[in-house]
Amino acid sequence: AQSVTQPDIHITVSEGASLELRCNYSYGATPYLFWYVQSPGQGLQLLLKYFSGDTLVQGIKGFEAEFKRSQSSFNLRKPSVHWSDAAEYFCAVANPTNTGNQFYFGTGTSLTVIP
Amino acid sequence: DTAVSQTPKYLVTQMGNDKSIKCEQNLGHDTMYWYKQDSKKFLKIMFSYNNKELIINETVPNRFSPKSPDKAHLNLHINSLELGDSAVYFCASSHDRGRQETQYFGPGTRLLVL
């Protein structure tokens, strides 16, 4: 069965520091992977996605993620965090069905940025 | 323009009541979804709806029923609300049902059942 694990429930970083959020997936076929961000009181916004090709994916707001099949991981990174990056981050794997594309989300990682 | 919108944003109601949450997308997408986000931030799909074909997550109680008057709308009706229904409900849409389709999410409806 497909699943997504985000091992870190909460991470705190200083503004300007680098960031890496971990995501591990379990999926039988080639995974289609996504990272979403949820700001407080807001909906989910797509940061980036991976379907195939280059394993290093660039997204919005300076984020990138690297797909590593051998490690079943799709970690999200940012070289320098801004205070506005404080939010909840969700990794997801897409599972195709006969009538739709169902997403399975991880439990999220809450990011706090300290000045 | 808001791509996926939901109303209301907040909903506080008594146990046993019936309520509806509306979702509209102006993206011209063919597939729409409802997700439930619990207090631990875990997002779980409830329904997906494509061209009048509904896929129901088997763990969803039959008190929950999606209704789609047209392709741009997928409303969620909940009967006999229970305390455990308190959560944030997200609507989403995608162009098609392929694996490469990105899902676009609404802002969520925060439901509190007292």
Side-chain angles (χ1 to χ4, degrees):
Chain A
Q2 56 281 328
S3 66
V4 177
T5 303
Q6 293 180 245
D8 304 306
I9 296 174
H10 186 253
I11 285 182
T12 300
V13 298
S14 299
E15 192 169 14
S18 63
L19 171 71
E20 183 169 29
L21 303 181
R22 296 184 290 167
C23 172
N24 294 99
Y25 66 89
S26 172
Y27 190 73
T30 301
Y32 284 24
L33 297 159
F34 303 77
W35 273 101
Y36 282 84
V37 60
Q38 183 182 20
S39 297
Q42 303 297 315
L44 284 81
Q45 181 182 21
L46 179 70
L47 284 176
L48 47 78
K49 58 189 177 184
Y50 171 78
F51 296 151
S52 64
D54 192 347
T55 55
L56 185 61
V57 181
Q58 301 298 321
I60 63 170
K61 303 184 179 185
F63 285 92
E64 66 179 25
E66 186 170 13
F67 170 63
K68 293 185 178 180
R69 184 184 298 275
S70 61
Q71 299 177 18
S72 297
S73 69
F74 188 55
N75 295 348
L76 182 71
R77 300 194 296 248
K78 186 170 184 178
S80 178
V81 171
H82 188 262
W83 63 266
S84 61
D85 293 325
E88 193 88 20
Y89 291 81
F90 293 93
C91 181
V93 63
N95 176 47
T97 68
N98 290 337
T99 55
N101 202 16
Q102 294 194 8
F103 276 29
Y104 290 85
F105 284 85
T107 49
T109 297
S110 178
L111 175 65
T112 298
V113 180
I114 54 177
Chain B
D1 288 339
T2 303
V4 182
S5 60
Q6 296 178 227
T7 55
K9 192 170 183 178
Y10 298 96
L11 181 55
V12 181
T13 187
Q14 298 283 344
M15 208 166 44
N17 285 349
D18 302 338
K19 291 293 178 184
S20 292
I21 305 172
K22 295 184 178 180
C23 177
E24 177 181 2
Q25 53 94 4
N26 62 8
L27 298 167
H29 287 169
D30 289 327
T31 306
M32 296 183 73
Y33 311 81
W34 275 106
Y35 287 83
K36 179 181 180 181
Q37 185 180 44
D38 62 24
S39 58
K40 296 183 180 180
K41 298 287 187 177
F42 184 64
L43 273 151
K44 189 172 184 180
I45 190 161
M46 301 175 69
F47 307 100
S48 65
Y49 198 90
N50 176 279
N51 292 331
K52 299 185 184 296
E53 195 165 1
L54 177 67
I55 294 293
I56 302 174
N57 185 322
E58 61 184 12
T59 66
V60 176
N62 57 14
R63 298 181 294 104
F64 290 79
S65 56
K67 299 185 190 304
S68 181
D70 55 58
K71 197 173 76 168
H73 297 83
L74 183 65
N75 303 326
L76 182 64
H77 190 75
I78 315 170
N79 289 326
S80 302
L81 278 156
E82 299 178 357
L83 295 177
D85 297 333
S86 297
V88 183
Y89 293 84
F90 286 99
C91 176
S93 73
S94 63
H95 175 65
D96 206 336
R97 57 191 186 188
R99 291 186 67 200
Q100 295 194 18
E101 293 299 328
T102 298
Q103 293 187 10
Y104 295 84
F105 285 78
T109 295
R110 286 142 188 84
L111 171 64
L112 177 61
V113 182
L114 303 175

